[in-house]
Amino acid sequence: MKKGSFLFLVVGFVVGFAGLYYWTKHREPQIVSATPLRITVPGSQGAAPQGPPPPPVDMAQVQQLQGRIKDNPNDYDALVQLGNIHYDQRNYADAEGLYKKALAIRGEDLDVRTDLGTMLFYLNKYDEAIIELYKVLAKNPTHGQALFNMGVVQLHGKNNPQAALQAWEKLVETNPNFPEISVVKDQIQKLKSSR
């Protein structure tokens, strides 16, 4: 290996380790909550999320969670936490598998089922995503994140602006304090004006 290449690898390792250290010390303690889906510009193609690059991974935490799952494949909390790490890293296929295992243990967790629907959307499995989101909305018709994500999947996955409009109008009606409410209202106006 050339000296310049070795130096580049060492510098990359140090910078990566420093970023990992900073991220683990300054991130919110609650890892279970998933990042909300962001609405892309109407008419855009593809489901890949936009925004900043994924945060660095705490490999010690990943190994600890993997060990817990190896010792007890039914460790619900470890499955969800590891799924959330994969979600944050945009490893959607891995997150999907972990969420499905968790839901096989505790299928009533609507937030994890909503995250599963999100993973399916990102994997371009739009019909499956809609099925999972309908399961959430059957149990809780006003689940804000599920309504938000249903609109995104219907509009950007299925190209069904009418179904997206229905989901988002219900979201505005039932969740006036939803964090993305101003974005949703803007999207509703754009959909109505484009008819």
Side-chain angles (χ1 to χ4, degrees):
M1 179 180 287
K2 293 182 179 179
K3 185 177 179 181
S5 297
F6 179 73
L7 181 60
F8 180 75
L9 286 173
V10 169
V11 169
F13 176 77
V14 170
V15 169
F17 184 76
L20 177 64
Y21 177 80
Y22 178 82
W23 180 73
T24 59
K25 295 298 179 195
H26 294 89
R27 104 172 263 196
E28 292 180 318
Q30 180 73 352
I31 191 169
V32 177
S33 64
T35 307
L37 255 165
R38 300 284 180 212
I39 297 176
T40 56
V41 177
S44 66
Q45 298 298 315
Q50 310 211 346
V57 178
D58 180 352
M59 289 310 295
Q61 182 184 22
V62 169
Q63 290 171 349
Q64 185 237 359
L65 291 169
Q66 289 172 334
R68 284 174 53 189
I69 293 167
K70 184 178 179 185
D71 292 342
N72 178 10
N74 292 325
D75 186 334
Y76 178 81
D77 292 330
L79 289 165
V80 171
Q81 288 177 21
L82 190 57
N84 289 338
I85 290 171
H86 283 289
Y87 178 109
D88 290 343
Q89 293 300 308
R90 301 178 185 158
N91 297 329
Y92 300 126
D94 292 333
E96 175 194 3
L98 289 160
Y99 287 151
K100 283 182 176 179
K101 287 177 184 177
L103 288 168
I105 298 164
R106 195 180 303 165
E108 73 280 358
D109 190 326
L110 302 183
D111 294 330
V112 172
R113 191 167 298 282
T114 300
D115 290 344
L116 174 59
T118 305
M119 297 305 93
L120 294 166
F121 169 73
Y122 287 146
L123 292 167
N124 298 321
K125 299 177 181 180
Y126 307 128
D127 292 328
E128 292 177 50
I130 290 170
I131 289 168
E132 294 302 325
L133 293 171
Y134 273 133
K135 287 178 184 178
V136 172
L137 295 171
K139 299 266 187 192
N140 179 0
T142 63
H143 191 284
Q145 194 65 52
L147 286 167
F148 179 78
N149 290 1
M150 180 66 82
V152 173
V153 175
Q154 292 288 3
L155 184 61
H156 298 291
K158 297 297 286 180
N159 194 25
N160 186 343
Q162 185 59 39
L165 193 57
Q166 288 174 345
W168 286 338
E169 285 179 332
K170 186 167 186 175
L171 173 62
V172 169
E173 175 189 328
T174 59
N175 294 272
N177 297 321
F178 186 73
E180 302 288 332
I181 200 72
S182 61
V183 175
V184 173
K185 287 178 179 178
D186 182 56
Q187 291 297 305
I188 289 171
Q189 285 305 106
K190 288 179 181 176
L191 286 174
K192 285 183 174 180
S193 66
S194 68
R195 283 200 226 174

